[in-house]
């Protein structure tokens, strides 16, 4: 018997079922298998129920948001996927001087039965745009989006659940900029002291359209701080702060963000209006950092582990006994970076080219991966993950293979370039990482054959070495595949906050700016490919492989098929999980199974 399942037995399970069906509530979706519980070993922690806040959101925050918040669109495998069950986003007008976009809700409902409408959209605009800051001096601590270029209060139709947002410039993220992260009626009730939810919605709209500084100050304070998960109990101030618009709703939070055993219980949301509804009635997310495959089938039904030499045999045994074993990633790429800021020995492009052609990246990755070699397929881009929309085009057009192809014997190339034998190159890497350490050893052995001396500059905190401008010429590190132009600029833009290589390029800076103002998805893809080419042309990065994780599922589950990326790669697919033997859900008549904008 699973320990986590025992925690959900008895009164708790009865209460959950009661809330969903026979105790006066709304019946669960027809796809839900009554009494079904999936226990998940979870990285966590859950720190906030407002996924639009600017503070760094944890993997746990993104996991829970993926299941409890519906959106106009999401990004999957580098492509935007529209969610017409939630609503439609349409460009009404576009010119070099601006953009007008309508955000038109379908008929989504919060889990308390209150409809999402123009008040929720207006609150999302006010929080994300900062458009009221100048007039009211009120600050919403929202994550940066293209809404920062919207200063004019939107036109709205309260009955049609629609707003029109005017941007002063075209923005790439116009489909996703409006993020309905929290319920406007709850914000109005708690911030403004109004009991009636519809009156609270009206008050929120009036505060925004009237630029009421006093009311907006109260609204912003609640939006910024009121949804935080705090304290040893892990509970927020009131149950209404846990409302959901997604396929699952929060039934309980046990333990605060700083507690290793934090547990979040989710139940199927009976008021969810999407066409893809879950089979599992209850999900129990139990924070557990042990990553022990032996816990599968005992403590947990689903878990995620990092591949190591120690767990290879155990996971292979699970796969051979019909357990679910899937390789995915969290959107991070193992990469070799060359420092070119004038301090490094590789700042000279000719010297750098000779060194970077002195080793075979596939052999380095293979040696570092060991028994897990198949989990580390080679990558050939730093702005696209393998399988992403545009990755194949980047491989063809950016020219990585040609740029790094050996033209002769590496030792002879070094001699021809006039580079002395045993020239030392300081290689920085995370000395606590088994993969990075093994990759360094493989790199050192290979370049030695070409007459280079790779010096061991491993450090348990390589980021601190980079931050203070410490000694290094080459770094073996993980880079996040960037999701936005701002993230590209931070790593690859001139003077970017995370630009470790020191590489500069006026052409690349201009392309990044162009990307930020491109509304057409195909044009955006091609511009991103052009940015990739500038990185290849400078020869400052050698992509190795995506950093994998392994999703494990007990034989009692089916359809645990994770997707790659930083946002909920495993938990985010829970709506598709089902108990073994349960019928496969059929798409609702008239629904679009794909939904892709492409």
């Amino acid at each position: 018997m699973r320990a986590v399942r025992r925690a959900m037995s008895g009164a708790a399970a009865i209460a959950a079922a009661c809330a969903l069906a026979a105790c006066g509530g709304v019946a669960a979706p027809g796809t839900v298998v009554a009494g079904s519980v999936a226990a998940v070993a979870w990285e966590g922690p859950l720190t906030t129920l407002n996924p639009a806040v600017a503070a760094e959101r944890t993997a746990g925050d993104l996991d829970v948001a993926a299941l409890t918040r519906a959106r106009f669109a999401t990004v999957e495998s580098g492509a935007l996927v529209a969610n017409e069950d939630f609503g439609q986003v349409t460009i009404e007008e576009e010119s070099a001087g601006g953009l007008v976009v309508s955000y038109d809700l379908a008929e989504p409902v919060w889990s308390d039965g209150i409809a999402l409408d123009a008040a929720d959209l207006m609150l999302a605009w006010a929080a994300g745009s900062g458009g009221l800051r100048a007039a009211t001096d009120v600050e919403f601590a929202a994550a940066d989006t293209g809404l920062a270029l919207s200063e004019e209060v939107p036109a709205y139709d309260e009955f049609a659940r629609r707003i029109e947002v005017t941007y002063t410039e075209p923005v790439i993220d116009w489909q996703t900029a409006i993020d309905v992260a929290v319920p406007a009626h709850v914000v109005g009730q708690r911030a403004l002291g109004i009991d009636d939810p519809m009156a609270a919605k009206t008050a929120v709209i009036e505060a925004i359209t009237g630029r009421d500084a006093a009311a907006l100050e109260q609204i912003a304070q609640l939006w910024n701080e009121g949804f935080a998960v705090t304290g040893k109990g892990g509970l927020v101030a009131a149950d209404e702060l846990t409302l959901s618009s997604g396929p699952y709703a929060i039934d309980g939070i046990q333990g605060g963000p700083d507690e290793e055993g934090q547990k979040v219980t989710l139940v199927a949301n009976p008021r969810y209006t999407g066409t893809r509804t879950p089979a599992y009635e209850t999900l129990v997310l139990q924070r557990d950092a042990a990553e022990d495959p032996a816990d599968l089938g005992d403590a947990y039904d689903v878990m995620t582990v990092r591949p190591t030499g120690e767990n290879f045999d155990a996971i292979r045994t699970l796969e051979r006994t019909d357990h679910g074993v899937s390789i995915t990633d969290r959107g991070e790429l193992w990469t070799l970076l060359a420092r070119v800021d004038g301090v490094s020995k590789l700042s000279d492009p000719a010297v750098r080219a000779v060194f970077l052609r002195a080793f075979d990246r596939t052999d380095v990755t293979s040696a570092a991966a060991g028994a897990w070699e198949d989990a580390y397929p080679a990558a050939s881009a730093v702005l696209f993950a393998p399988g992403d929309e545009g990755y194949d085009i980047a491989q063809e057009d950016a020219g990585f293979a040609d740029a790094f192809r050996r033209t002769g014997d590496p030792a002879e190339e070094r001699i021809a370039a006039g580079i002395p034998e045993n020239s030392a190159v300081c290689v920085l890497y995370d000395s606590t990482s088994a993969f990075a350490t093994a990759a360094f050893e493989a790199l050192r052995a290979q370049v030695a054959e070409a007459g280079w001396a790779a010096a061991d500059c491993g450090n348990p905190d390589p980021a601190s070495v980079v931050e203070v401008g410490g000694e290094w010429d080459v770094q073996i590190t993980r880079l996040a595949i960037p999701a936005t132009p701002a993230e590209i600029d931070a790593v690859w833009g001139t003077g970017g906050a995370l630009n470790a290589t020191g590489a500069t390029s006026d052409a690349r800076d201009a392309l990044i700016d162009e990307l930020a103002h491109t509304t057409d998805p195909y044009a955006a893809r091609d511009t991103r490919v052009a940015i990739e080419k500038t990185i290849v042309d400078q020869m400052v990065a050698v992509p190795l492989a995506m950093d994998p994780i392994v999703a494990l599922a007990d034989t009692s589950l089916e359809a645990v098929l994770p997707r790659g990326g930083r946002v909920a790669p495993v938990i985010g697919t829970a709506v598709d999980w089902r108990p073994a033997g349960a019928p496969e859900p059929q798409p609702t008549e008239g629904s679009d199974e794909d939904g892709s904008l492409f």
Side-chain angles (χ1 to χ4, degrees):
M1 179 65 69
R2 293 171 172 78
V4 178
R5 284 184 174 175
R6 284 199 296 270
M8 278 300 296
S9 63
I14 293 171
C18 178
L20 292 175
C23 300
V26 178
T31 54
V32 170
V33 177
S36 56
V37 180
V40 184
W42 177 57
E43 179 181 359
L46 180 64
T47 68
T48 180
L49 302 180
N50 180 355
V53 292
E56 186 170 343
R57 289 157 289 185
T58 67
D61 295 333
L62 297 175
D63 282 339
V64 173
L67 296 179
T68 62
R69 292 294 184 272
R71 293 175 171 83
F72 283 108
T74 55
V75 177
E76 298 179 15
S77 298
L80 205 69
V81 179
N83 178 12
E84 294 189 358
D85 294 333
F86 187 73
Q88 293 186 329
V89 184
T90 306
I91 292 179
E92 304 293 344
E93 300 176 26
E94 180 175 6
S95 68
L99 185 71
V100 178
V101 181
S102 64
Y103 298 87
D104 194 348
L105 291 167
E107 296 185 353
V109 178
W110 291 106
S111 52
D112 63 352
I114 301 296
L116 279 80
D117 59 19
D120 298 283
L121 297 175
M122 291 289 279
L123 178 58
W125 172 84
S129 70
L132 302 173
R133 187 183 302 116
T136 65
D137 203 30
V138 171
E139 192 79 39
F140 286 89
D144 290 337
T145 69
L147 279 178
L149 294 175
S150 174
E151 302 170 354
E152 180 182 325
V153 174
Y156 71 95
D157 186 329
E158 189 169 357
F159 298 101
R161 303 183 178 190
R162 180 179 185 274
I163 67 172
E164 277 195 0
V165 175
T166 299
Y167 297 87
T168 56
E169 302 174 26
V171 295
I172 188 173
D173 61 346
W174 56 275
Q175 295 104 319
T176 58
I178 290 288
D179 184 0
V180 183
V182 298
H185 66 287
V186 171
V187 171
Q189 287 175 308
R190 296 187 63 80
L192 304 178
I194 299 171
D195 292 333
D196 181 78
M198 304 315 292
K201 283 175 176 283
T202 299
V204 168
I205 291 178
E206 290 177 348
I208 294 169
T209 57
R211 296 175 174 81
D212 184 336
L216 287 170
E217 183 65 38
Q218 297 301 313
I219 289 171
Q221 183 175 357
L222 183 71
W223 195 95
N224 294 341
E225 303 171 6
F227 292 85
V229 177
T230 59
K232 287 188 176 181
L235 298 177
V236 290
D239 289 344
E240 61 263 27
L241 296 177
T242 66
L243 292 182
S244 167
S245 60
Y248 280 93
I250 294 175
D251 189 56
I253 304 169
Q254 297 178 25
D258 296 331
E259 297 180 58
E260 288 300 323
Q262 186 187 44
K263 182 167 68 177
V264 178
T265 303
L266 304 172
V267 293
N269 178 5
R271 290 190 169 93
Y272 178 57
T273 58
T275 53
R276 289 174 60 215
T277 53
Y280 271 97
E281 185 175 67
T282 303
L283 302 178
V284 181
L285 311 183
Q286 176 80 53
R287 193 175 180 198
D288 189 337
E291 295 192 1
D292 185 354
D295 289 336
L296 188 71
D298 180 16
Y300 303 111
D301 299 300
V302 177
M303 62 190 309
T304 303
V305 302
R306 294 189 181 277
T308 67
E310 291 74 20
N311 64 24
F312 178 80
D313 288 338
I315 293 175
R316 182 172 59 179
T317 298
L318 289 172
E319 187 172 30
R320 290 176 175 180
T321 52
D322 293 330
H323 291 75
V325 177
S326 302
I327 306 296
T328 186
D329 62 77
R330 289 196 177 98
E332 291 187 322
L333 173 73
W334 280 107
T335 312
L336 187 146
L337 298 178
R339 185 177 183 181
V340 297
D341 58 0
V343 175
S344 165
K345 302 177 183 68
L346 300 183
S347 294
D348 183 327
V351 175
R352 182 164 70 251
V354 172
F355 177 80
L356 295 181
R357 293 189 183 114
F359 62 91
D360 185 301
R361 66 194 181 104
T362 303
D363 290 346
V364 169
T365 302
S366 177
W372 284 103
E373 179 180 0
D374 290 344
Y376 289 83
S380 297
V382 296
L383 303 185
F384 300 85
D388 275 2
E389 170 71 23
Y391 176 78
D392 291 341
I393 296 174
Q395 281 190 298
E396 295 173 7
D397 293 2
F400 175 83
D402 290 337
F404 288 86
R405 181 177 291 115
R406 291 179 178 177
T407 57
D409 179 76
E412 293 178 358
E413 285 193 17
R414 177 188 56 75
I415 294 169
I419 301 169
E421 188 171 5
N422 293 323
S423 291
V425 174
C426 175
V427 182
L428 176 65
Y429 63 93
D430 182 354
S431 58
T432 68
S433 164
F435 181 91
T437 301
F440 164 71
E441 294 295 346
L443 176 70
R444 175 161 61 179
Q446 283 198 49
V447 299
E449 295 178 3
W452 295 88
D456 187 343
C457 295
N459 190 289
D461 185 11
S464 66
V465 177
V466 174
E467 185 177 357
V468 300
E471 183 180 1
W472 67 279
D473 301 303
V474 167
Q475 183 183 12
I476 299 170
T477 188
R478 285 178 296 196
L479 292 180
I481 299 295
T484 66
E487 291 183 0
I488 297 175
D489 185 63
V491 177
W492 301 108
T494 300
L498 302 177
N499 186 341
T501 68
T504 64
S505 167
D506 291 342
R508 182 161 58 245
D509 294 341
L511 285 168
I512 294 171
D513 183 69
E514 178 184 328
L515 179 65
H517 298 91
T518 300
T519 59
D520 179 78
Y522 297 107
R525 176 201 62 198
D526 292 344
T527 301
R528 184 180 276 242
V529 169
I531 297 169
E532 181 85 45
K533 189 175 189 313
T534 68
I535 298 169
V536 171
D537 289 346
Q538 285 189 315
M539 296 190 75
V540 292
V542 180
L544 300 176
M546 297 300 292
D547 185 35
I549 55 175
V550 185
L552 305 176
D554 188 45
T555 55
S556 61
L557 283 81
E558 294 178 351
V560 180
L561 302 173
R563 61 189 179 218
R566 281 182 284 167
V567 179
V570 179
I571 301 294
T573 67
V575 70
D576 298 319
W577 303 352
R578 60 182 184 272
E584 184 174 351
Q586 298 299 313
T588 302
E589 184 177 354
S591 69
D592 181 358
E593 291 183 70
D594 180 7
S596 173
L597 295 182
F598 298 101

